[in-house]
């Protein structure tokens, strides 16, 4: 875990951070938060070259090595938002107001609202508008210490517009400091033009849509909304089979409103994650544990929809299924672009501990995206590091609205 520098001397280091307390989130360190106090970390070529107790620091040239003393403040891994729908157009604020006045979701949908309104607005939006809006949202996450964000498609629901969303997401990754992971969610909802022809639409998702997504290298994974108001177990399996043929990892919106056995299905395919999972049962938890599938909790949607069915936290802990936390930022069910708020909600609504919450937006969030080079501060990992003006890591979940981020490095570069 510590020194990998030959001859016990630091060579040419890009930055040495000293006088730090480090919440490494490394389970190999037998301490809460994987904490190392009175520590130092060396960054070279975008990675962590050395990390450990400052008293064990190898000798180095004081005058030639850029050094930053943070005077006992805390470092954590950069935060990871592993489930968002960040690229979309339009607003659903009027529907929010209508629902509060007693108008039903069915009535809103009959008026052309619901997801159909977001699809219509997104189809009309050009790439420039989607890019500008997406950049603004990413800036909000960056200001909170977020260094990696997953962006799903799913508001185009035809070949042209699903590609457009994913192209904008890729473009954001090229022109924004945050690292962007993209997920193809063509099977998010049934578009109006395919009403009564669900199987035909799923065939389109599995053929023309997915084939063009793959041909243009636009997705890192494939997702499906497996639900009684979404797509069936069999239809979801069809999409997963198509993704498998293209060697794309899969994940699933599962058990949000009912138990459709989506989590068991994603586990059958050794999928990355099952997300939402309020109605997950013990058989589903067991299947996830055996497959190594991560549980992604989305407290923002739980809160915004005023859900009362809690995810099976105790079962997930019993079977040692890693728990990730994400914002699910989207215009309809979680218009909450704040991962720090999700950390607080994970504790207050789901009764996770602050340590579990921080693990959920670092170590476990990385696993939910199939990434093993971040989410933990250790030698060889990406130097995605957040510097906080806090007295203890629990403060990150305890307090919301007072941002204590002082510095943020992504691949060793300050942002």
């Amino acid at each position: 875990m510590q020194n990998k520098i030959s001859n016990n001397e630091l060579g040419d280091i890009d930055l040495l951070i000293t006088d730090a307390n480090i919440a490494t989130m490394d389970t190999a360190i037998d301490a809460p938060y994987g904490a190392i106090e009175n520590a130092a970390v060396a960054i070279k070529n975008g990675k962590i070259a050395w990390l450990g107790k400052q008293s064990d620091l190898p000798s180095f040239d004081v005058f030639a090595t850029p050094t930053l003393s943070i005077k006992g403040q805390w470092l954590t891994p950069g935060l990871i938002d592993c489930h968002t729908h960040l690229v979309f157009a339009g607003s659903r604020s009027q529907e929010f107001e209508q629902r509060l006045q007693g108008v039903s979701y069915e009535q809103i949908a009959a008026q052309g609202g619901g997801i159909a309104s977001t699809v219509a607005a997104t189809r009309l939006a050009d790439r420039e508008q989607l890019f500008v809006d997406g950049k603004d949202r990413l800036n909000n996450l960056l200001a909170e210490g977020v260094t990696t964000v997953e962006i799903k498609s799913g508001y185009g629901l035809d070949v042209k517009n699903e590609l457009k969303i994913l192209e904008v997401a890729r473009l954001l990754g090229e022109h924004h400091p945050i690292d962007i992971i993209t997920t193809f969610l063509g099977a998010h909802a049934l578009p109006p033009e395919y009403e009564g022809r669900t199987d035909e639409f799923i065939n389109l998702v599995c053929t023309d849509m997915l084939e063009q997504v793959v041909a243009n290298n636009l997705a890192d994974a494939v997702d499906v909304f497996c639900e009684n108001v979404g797509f069936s177990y069999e239809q979801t399996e069809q999409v997963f089979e198509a993704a498998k043929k293209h060697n794309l990892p899969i994940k699933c919106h599962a058990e949000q409103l009912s138990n459709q056995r989506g989590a068991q299905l994603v586990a059958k395919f050794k999928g990355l994650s099952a997300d939402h999972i309020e109605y997950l049962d013990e058989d589903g938890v067991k299947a996830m544990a055996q497959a190594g599938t991560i549980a992604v909790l989305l407290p923002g949607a739980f809160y915004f929809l005023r859900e009362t069915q809690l995810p099976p936290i105790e079962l997930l802990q019993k079977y040692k299924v890693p728990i990730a936390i994400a914002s699910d930022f989207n215009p309809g069910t979680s218009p909450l672009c704040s991962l720090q708020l999700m950390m607080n909600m994970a504790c207050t609504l789901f009764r996770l501990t602050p340590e579990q919450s921080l693990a959920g937006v670092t170590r476990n969030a990385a696993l939910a995206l199939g990434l093993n080079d971040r989410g933990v501060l250790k030698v060889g990992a990406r130097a995605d590091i957040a510097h906080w003006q806090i007295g203890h890591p629990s403060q990150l979940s305890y307090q919301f609205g007072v941002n204590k981020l002082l510095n943020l490095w992504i691949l060793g570069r300050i942002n």
Side-chain angles (χ1 to χ4, degrees), residues 42-237:
I43 299 171
K44 182 177 176 63
N45 295 331
K47 295 185 177 182
I48 296 175
W50 190 94
L51 183 147
K53 281 280 190 182
Q54 191 156 322
S55 57
D56 297 328
L57 187 65
S59 60
F60 64 96
D61 187 334
V62 176
F63 301 102
T65 303
T67 304
L68 173 66
S69 168
I70 64 168
K71 302 176 182 177
Q73 293 162 346
W74 282 86
L75 302 177
T76 71
L79 308 186
I80 299 170
D81 196 344
C82 64
H83 180 133
T84 84
H85 304 254
L86 187 137
V87 175
F88 63 86
S91 167
R92 307 253 285 274
S93 62
Q94 289 181 308
E95 295 176 22
F96 176 59
E97 186 172 38
Q98 284 180 291
R99 288 201 306 273
L100 293 173
Q101 294 170 345
V103 182
S104 71
Y105 184 84
E106 289 75 14
Q107 289 173 304
I108 292 172
Q111 298 167 4
I115 191 172
S117 66
T118 301
V119 170
T122 304
R123 286 179 174 181
L124 287 172
D126 59 25
R127 285 168 173 76
E128 182 179 2
Q129 177 188 342
L130 293 173
F131 179 87
V132 170
D133 290 345
K135 185 177 180 181
D136 287 344
R137 295 159 188 162
L138 285 175
N139 287 342
N140 290 330
L141 293 172
L142 183 73
E144 289 194 341
V146 176
T147 54
T148 300
V149 169
E150 185 248 27
I151 298 177
K152 302 179 190 292
S153 67
Y155 288 122
L157 304 184
D158 61 19
V159 175
K160 173 186 173 183
N161 288 288
E162 284 295 294
L163 293 176
K164 178 176 70 176
I165 293 169
L166 291 170
E167 286 167 356
V168 169
R170 285 289 200 223
L171 198 61
L172 286 167
E174 294 171 8
H175 296 278
H176 198 278
I178 288 179
D179 193 35
I180 303 300
I181 307 299
T182 59
T183 297
F184 170 56
L185 180 59
H188 188 199
L190 189 67
E193 63 268 24
Y194 276 87
E195 186 174 354
R197 298 185 292 145
T198 307
D199 287 338
E200 189 177 336
F201 177 69
I202 287 295
N203 185 62
L204 175 70
V205 170
C206 294
T207 55
D208 289 0
M209 277 195 198
L210 183 56
E211 287 167 6
Q212 292 200 44
V213 166
V214 171
N216 290 281
N217 189 31
L218 292 176
D220 303 304
V222 172
D223 196 348
V224 178
F225 183 34
C226 181
E227 189 51 77
N228 52 16
V229 296
F231 299 96
S232 69
Y233 181 101
E234 292 75 20
Q235 290 162 344
T236 302
E237 186 171 31

